[in-house]
Structure formats: C-alpha cells, structure tokens
Amino acid sequence: MPSRTPSTPTPSSPEQMNPSVWTRPRGGREQPALSRDQIVAEALRLLDSEGIDALSMRKLGNRLGAGATSLYRHVANKDELIELAVDEIYGEIEVPDTADPARWREDAARCAHSLRATMLRHPWIASVLGQMGLSYLGPNYMRISEAMLSVFTTAGFPPEEADQAMATVIAYVTGMATSEAAWLTVLARSGQNEEEWIERLYPAAEQAAQAYPHLREGLAGQRGKNPRTAREEGFQYGLDRVLDGLATRVN
Amino acid sequence: MPSRTPSTPTPSSPEQMNPSVWTRPRGGREQPALSRDQIVAEALRLLDSEGIDALSMRKLGNRLGAGATSLYRHVANKDELIELAVDEIYGEIEVPDTADPARWREDAARCAHSLRATMLRHPWIASVLGQMGLSYLGPNYMRISEAMLSVFTTAGFPPEEADQAMATVIAYVTGMATSEAAWLTVLARSGQNEEEWIERLYPAAEQAAQAYPHLREGLAGQRGKNPRTAREEGFQYGLDRVLDGLATRVN
DNA sequence: CCCAGAACGCGCACGCCGTACGCACGTTCC
DNA sequence: GGAACGTGCGTACGGCGTGCGCGTTCTGGG
C-alpha cells in the first residue's frame, strides 16, 4: 500500500483545518486575486523566463496562488490564453503613427527591426506562429497592420498591392526571426552561449559538409565571427533586398 | 471473449503444437517488424493525416503493432523522431542539379515554389520550425543548401553574400508558408473549407476593422476572391520582389 | 436591510502524455 | 551447450488539460 494521504474525502477537510476559529488567518476572501489581465501577465513572465514548454495551467495557477482550474473562469482554454499573450506581445512593436511618403523605406525598416527585436525578446512566439498563425483580429495586431498598410499606401502602392507588400515584409521578418528564435531556444536549453555551441558543433558540421564545397566554404567563412552581429548583418542584408525589390514598384 | 489473436506467445506449451509449419500462427517473434525507417514512415503518415498534436508514441506504436516503448530501441526520443521526419520531408524539395548562371532567377524561384509546396503538403512542419529551427545537419537539408548556394554563387554572388541571399529567400518562403500552413491547420481542425470560414468570420473582422480605414479597404478588396489563388498570387508577388532585390546585386 | 442569484475558487477525477526500467525471449557466436 | 546480445513489452511515475460539482463570496434590486 503506497503511503498516500487518503483519497477518500474524510468529510471535514483534513490538514488545512485551523485548530480554532480564533487563529484562523482573516475571514473572508483575501483579494479578488485573479483577473484575465493578471493571468496573462503572469503567463508572459513564465513564458519569457522558461519558454513555452514550461507553461502549464497548474504551474501558472501556483504562481498566482490559485488552483489550475480556477484560471478557467477567466480564460476559455490554454490556446486562448496563449493567443491573448501573443497579442499582448504585439503591443511592444513600434510603428510610425503618421506615414510620410518620402520616408516609407525607413518606416518599413523600422517596423521590421522592431518586429524582429520583439520576437527575439520573446522567442517562444516562434513556436506559436506555426500553430495559430499570426492571431489576426487581436487589437494590437490590427493596430500594427493598419500602420504598415498606411506606410505602403501613402508610399504610392495601390491598396491591393500594399497588402501584398506588407505581407512580404512580415513574411521575411517572421521567417528570419523564427529561425533565430528557435536557435536561441535550443541554445538556452543547452545552457551554453552561442560561441561555445558553435565551436562544439564545428567538427560535426565540417564532416557533414564534406561532400559539399559551397557549404564548406560558407562554414569556413563564418568561423570566428561574432554570431550575434553576423545574424544582425544577415537580417539587414535580406531586409535591404526586400525593400529594394519593393522600391522597384514605386519609384 | 474478444476475438484477438493471442498476444502472449506461450511458445512451448505442449498441447498446442500445430501439425504443420503452414498452419502455425507464426510462432515466436513475428518479424524484426520495427526499424527506424519504418517508424519514421509511419510517423509521417500519422503527421500528414492528423497533424502534430495527434503524434504520440503510444498511437504510433499501436499503428505499428508494437508497444509505445518499443520505439525507443530505434529512436532516442520523440524530438529526434520528429527531426528525422522533418529531414525526410526535405527530401521532397526539388532543387536544380546543375547551376546555370543565366537561369539563376528561375532556379531560385523553382526552389522557392517547391519549398512552399512541400510545406503546404505537410503543414505540421510549421509547428516544428519554431521549436527546432530548420534541423540543420540533416542530409537532405544539406543537399538543398548546397544546391541553392551553388545557384547563387554561379549567378555571381560572392560566397558570403550567397549565404545571405539563400537565407533571405528561405526566410521569406518559410515565413509565408508558415502562416499559410497554420491557417490550413486551423481550418482543418474546424472541418470547414476556406470560403466557408472566411464568410463566417467576415462580420467579426469587419467590426474589428471598423476604426482602421486601410484594413477595411483591404478586407473589402479581398471579398469574394478565391482564397487559394489569392494566396498563390500573394506568394508570387513577394517572391518576385525578393528576387528583384537580389537581382540588383548581380546584374 | 435582506436575500436570491451570479461569480468565483477549488478539489477531484479522467484519460491522456513521454519515457525509465527491468524482464523474457529469439538469435548468434563461441 | 551456454553466454552474450538485440529486441519487444508490461509496468510505473510524474505530469498534463480540463469537465464537474461544491461551497463561498459578492452584488444589486426589493
């Protein structure tokens, strides 16, 4: 027989029974203590510090001093909670509040960099994008789309093409940032820093690239570079090309 | 009494000696029956038909006529299994086997379309990219990278820039396809087709876009279009812009 | 001021999950 | 003949999301 506390109710709840009314720590409910905003905020803290796999309703409940199922009074289910968290994150993305036709390129670039930076600050969203998509219809997503659309339309893109241009930039940035975020996640799990990891894996990579001359050359060319700035330069290069391509349609 | 074939071998019990080899119910161990390739293949079938959430070691074991834990003889853990499945999928991506400088744009475009088509055929990889990244080092991934690098270097990009150009195209395609795949996944779960879903959500979207003129216009402009071809045109537009932007560096 | 009903927190239970461990068995090599 | 090995599987552990029903607290209308 396993030494477990008896699962049969034992009617007058066992250990949390205070010996007397007089020592009971304050009658009544402490606080409301649970609200949707508070839940989302704590979920964000958990996600940012431990990643998406660490987010469970039980753990989140504990952190809030509540049981897991209490959360369901304020949130329909875990997916909805994550969707709320994602839109909350979108709130950090900076977009221009007025569109200047002469500055469309800088404005778009600024949006792109802000989007990337936000994703890298919260790498767990990369895992979410592939499951829920971009969570359209969230208030912050709509705010951002409107601003970016406005940048492209005032730049001279006809409405339908402005849509496509925005989608192009967003796809490039999310694609790049997703791969960076996944990399950072793997890294964080391993407890090593970027340089250590690369150095450790270099022999394996070199061997795997044996038969592929271009890969070998690329590998050798990156050796010893600061990986962080290399990532930033790579992002900037692609962004410049995307904007170059868009510029041909409007200049 | 459930009519199941006896799962317990009971090999040497005396009276059940079968008279002939041909009628004997396959005494002892059936076959090797389990190999890494077979496991990966069945995992792919499961993933393609029911999505990433439906992949569990137990279910996969059942499908192979084996217990869940038997799989661990051939695969270190679930993540490794998925990584193998991903690289298997990469095998479907078509890349040119010889690079012709005059045709670099068409070659790159063909790779891009093939990558997108592959991701849309197996939408579950979108969920995986954000967690593992692109599964570098897998044999098929290396084959593809080599081919694409070769396209860009023979087109005239210096080695380091060819790397960045390839990363740009891949980021754009995966970004676009991830969002499409997520959309298709949500759709599949709902059991509706694209048009139905859009029509059903239209009022909500219209209301949410109330305060945003550009969003409203975009919404109205897309109404009634065939969503599938609209997605394809959007992808082609962005791809053209990306390649335009790259072309400025080499022509 | 009271009380009915709504809102809320929570314990419990169910049916899943990934996987560590050790046993039983067929095969193969000495 | 028997030891060593590869393989499948039963069992078990700790965790998960969440439906349900209970008791408590809060609120607003009479």
Side-chain angles (χ1 to χ4, degrees):
Chain A
M1 173 184 190
S3 71
R4 280 180 53 79
T5 57
S7 59
T8 47
T10 56
S12 51
S13 43
E15 85 285 344
Q16 49 81 265
M17 180 72 150
N18 275 93
S20 143
V21 211
W22 314 112
T23 60
R24 189 172 41 215
R26 289 302 254 153
R29 174 128 35 226
E30 315 278 325
Q31 274 120 277
L34 235 41
S35 75
R36 174 180 280 201
D37 286 349
Q38 211 177 115
I39 292 173
V40 171
E42 190 63 42
L44 279 178
R45 266 191 290 277
L46 187 47
L47 284 166
D48 286 342
S49 65
E50 305 190 43
I52 190 98
D53 291 339
L55 177 65
S56 79
M57 300 304 271
R58 291 171 211 266
K59 200 185 290 198
L60 184 55
N62 276 348
R63 287 203 172 203
L64 290 163
T69 60
S70 305
L71 308 174
Y72 286 89
R73 294 281 173 193
H74 308 269
V75 160
N77 52 42
K78 195 183 180 184
D79 279 1
E80 183 182 302
L81 171 60
I82 293 180
E83 220 165 328
L84 290 169
V86 168
D87 198 75
E88 192 73 18
I89 291 304
Y90 285 163
E92 298 177 13
I93 299 171
E94 289 170 21
V95 290
D97 33 84
T98 67
D100 174 358
R103 292 241 164 284
W104 75 266
R105 227 189 127 117
E106 289 84 343
D107 284 346
R110 209 185 305 274
C111 290
H113 276 108
S114 179
L115 173 53
R116 170 173 178 263
T118 301
M119 289 184 64
L120 295 186
R121 261 197 312 277
H122 310 284
W124 51 269
I125 47 161
S127 332
V128 170
L129 289 189
Q131 310 221 19
M132 328 241 228
L134 296 167
S135 288
Y136 317 100
L137 295 190
N140 278 317
Y141 181 80
M142 304 212 82
R143 176 184 63 88
I144 295 160
S145 314
E146 175 70 12
M148 289 190 67
L149 276 181
S150 149
V151 166
F152 285 112
T153 45
T154 68
F157 288 88
E160 194 190 352
E161 192 172 339
D163 244 18
Q164 294 178 321
M166 176 181 78
T168 302
V169 172
I170 291 183
Y172 168 69
V173 177
T174 54
M176 212 66 157
T178 292
S179 135
E180 292 187 70
W183 162 249
L184 292 179
T185 301
V186 171
L187 222 58
R189 245 201 293 273
S190 83
Q192 296 177 309
N193 70 29
E194 227 160 333
E195 282 90 350
E196 285 168 356
W197 180 279
I198 290 175
E199 218 44 53
R200 218 171 50 80
L201 222 61
Y202 198 89
E206 207 165 25
Q207 198 205 336
Q210 200 81 45
Y212 301 116
H214 296 103
L215 283 184
R216 273 214 319 272
E217 178 150 10
L219 213 55
Q222 284 178 353
R223 177 139 215 192
K225 280 198 182 171
N226 178 339
R228 213 176 75 99
T229 65
R231 281 193 284 111
E232 252 141 34
E233 284 167 16
F235 176 77
Q236 183 68 54
Y237 176 87
L239 180 59
D240 285 339
R241 295 296 81 69
V242 170
L243 296 179
D244 282 352
L246 290 172
T248 65
R249 300 284 299 173
V250 82
N251 287 343
Chain B
M1 167 186 173
S3 69
R4 278 178 57 81
T5 56
S7 57
T8 48
T10 58
S12 56
S13 50
E15 85 289 344
Q16 51 82 260
M17 260 289 251
N18 274 91
S20 141
V21 212
W22 314 111
T23 59
R24 188 170 44 213
R26 298 296 239 134
R29 180 119 30 220
E30 311 276 324
Q31 271 120 280
L34 234 41
S35 75
R36 172 180 282 200
D37 286 348
Q38 211 177 113
I39 291 173
V40 172
E42 190 63 41
L44 279 178
R45 266 191 291 277
L46 186 48
L47 284 166
D48 285 343
S49 65
E50 304 189 43
I52 191 97
D53 291 340
L55 177 65
S56 79
M57 300 304 270
R58 290 170 213 267
K59 200 186 291 197
L60 183 56
N62 276 349
R63 287 203 171 202
L64 290 162
T69 60
S70 305
L71 308 174
Y72 286 88
R73 294 280 172 195
H74 307 270
V75 159
N77 52 40
K78 195 184 180 185
D79 278 1
E80 184 182 302
L81 171 60
I82 293 180
E83 221 165 328
L84 290 169
V86 168
D87 198 74
E88 193 74 17
I89 290 305
Y90 286 163
E92 297 177 15
I93 299 171
E94 290 170 21
V95 291
D97 34 82
T98 67
D100 173 359
R103 291 240 164 285
W104 73 267
R105 228 189 124 118
E106 287 84 342
D107 285 346
R110 209 185 305 276
C111 290
H113 276 108
S114 180
L115 173 52
R116 170 173 178 263
T118 301
M119 288 185 65
L120 296 186
R121 261 198 312 278
H122 310 285
W124 51 270
I125 45 160
S127 332
V128 170
L129 289 189
Q131 310 222 19
M132 328 242 227
L134 295 166
S135 287
Y136 317 100
L137 295 189
N140 278 317
Y141 180 81
M142 305 213 82
R143 176 184 61 88
I144 295 160
S145 314
E146 176 70 12
M148 288 190 67
L149 275 182
S150 149
V151 166
F152 285 112
T153 46
T154 69
F157 287 86
E160 192 191 353
E161 192 172 339
D163 245 17
Q164 295 177 320
M166 176 181 75
T168 302
V169 172
I170 291 182
Y172 168 70
V173 177
T174 54
M176 211 67 158
T178 293
S179 135
E180 291 187 71
W183 163 249
L184 292 178
T185 301
V186 170
L187 221 58
R189 245 201 294 272
S190 83
Q192 295 177 309
N193 70 29
E194 228 160 333
E195 282 89 351
E196 285 167 356
W197 179 279
I198 291 177
E199 218 44 52
R200 217 172 49 79
L201 223 61
Y202 198 89
E206 209 167 22
Q207 199 206 335
Q210 200 82 45
Y212 301 116
H214 296 103
L215 283 183
R216 273 212 322 269
E217 178 150 10
L219 211 56
Q222 284 179 353
R223 176 137 217 192
K225 280 198 181 169
N226 178 340
R228 214 178 76 100
T229 64
R231 281 194 283 113
E232 252 142 33
E233 284 167 16
F235 176 77
Q236 183 67 55
Y237 175 87
L239 179 58
D240 286 340
R241 295 298 78 72
V242 171
L243 296 179
D244 282 351
L246 290 172
T248 65
R249 300 282 301 174
V250 80
N251 285 346

